[in-house]
Amino acid sequence: MAGSKRVCPSNNLTYYPQMAPVVITLVTDGARCLLARQSSFPKGLYSALAGFCDIGESVEDAVRREVAEEVGLEVGTLHYSSSQHWPFPNSSLMIACHAAVKPGHTEIQVNQRELEAAAWFSLDEVATALRRKGSFPQQQSGALPLLLPPKLAIAHHMVREWVERQACASLAA
């Protein structure tokens, strides 16, 4: 009888809220990270790839399937990063992973049913976006600057983690 439960006052039935596992993955090719956007995102906002785990599917298999489905890339290596409960709009458990594509396999094929756009971003572009605060008007070219998820989102932490790892690697070299 562990865990959260709700009891219906009219018939005394007990309900246990469900939590859906979701993989959220920051894909890299070594020097760049892949970020994507859905049409429902605010203009300029890009994030990590995410999708629900299927019944009986491991986290690793879900990462590989989601990356292949959404951007047509094959994951080489991956590792777990962290997790976050995300109550909106449903109760989800976000399972964050970093994944590297196989060398030489970086051509993105965006699944237009899932995403509006996806692109590779350099360390400089992502680091600049992390330093931004507030909203920003369109640039003279009409393009919006790269915007990242807010600090409370696990995707923000994943991007920051990648930037910090890249910076440490360049110092060590």
Side-chain angles (χ1 to χ4, degrees):
M1 296 300 292
S4 300
K5 68 178 181 179
R6 296 282 186 255
V7 178
C8 179
S10 67
N11 59 15
N12 251 3
L13 286 176
T14 302
Y15 293 91
Y16 295 93
Q18 295 185 359
M19 186 178 304
V22 174
V23 292
I24 181 162
T25 308
L26 187 65
V27 178
T28 66
D29 71 353
R32 305 174 297 173
C33 73
L34 182 126
L35 298 170
R37 58 173 283 104
Q38 296 178 346
S39 59
S40 62
F41 288 4
K43 295 294 181 200
L45 179 71
Y46 281 75
S47 187
L49 300 176
F52 290 97
C53 294
D54 287 339
I55 299 294
E57 187 176 44
S58 71
V59 168
E60 296 82 1
D61 288 343
V63 166
R64 287 185 171 89
R65 178 185 50 76
E66 282 295 328
V67 171
E69 283 179 4
E70 292 185 357
V71 293
L73 296 173
E74 190 175 347
V75 169
T77 60
L78 69 98
H79 69 272
Y80 169 81
S81 173
S82 57
S83 64
Q84 178 184 35
H85 179 248
W86 194 253
F88 309 107
N90 304 322
S91 189
S92 297
L93 175 64
M94 306 297 288
I95 304 164
C97 295
H98 288 271
V101 294
K102 295 191 173 188
H105 298 270
T106 60
E107 185 179 332
I108 301 167
Q109 298 170 6
V110 176
N111 179 340
Q112 297 292 323
R113 288 171 290 163
E114 302 256 349
L115 302 171
E116 181 179 81
W120 290 106
F121 292 91
S122 70
L123 176 60
D124 287 342
E125 290 173 303
V126 175
T128 298
L130 280 172
R131 289 191 296 270
R132 285 195 184 102
K133 292 187 168 95
S135 60
F136 297 89
Q138 287 187 355
Q139 298 170 346
Q140 287 182 345
S141 66
L144 288 167
L146 172 63
L147 301 176
L148 297 171
K151 288 182 181 179
L152 64 92
I154 198 166
H156 181 93
H157 294 280
M158 296 171 69
V159 169
R160 182 173 296 285
E161 186 176 50
W162 177 75
V163 166
E164 289 169 358
R165 246 193 343 257
Q166 294 294 100
C168 288
S170 68
L171 289 175

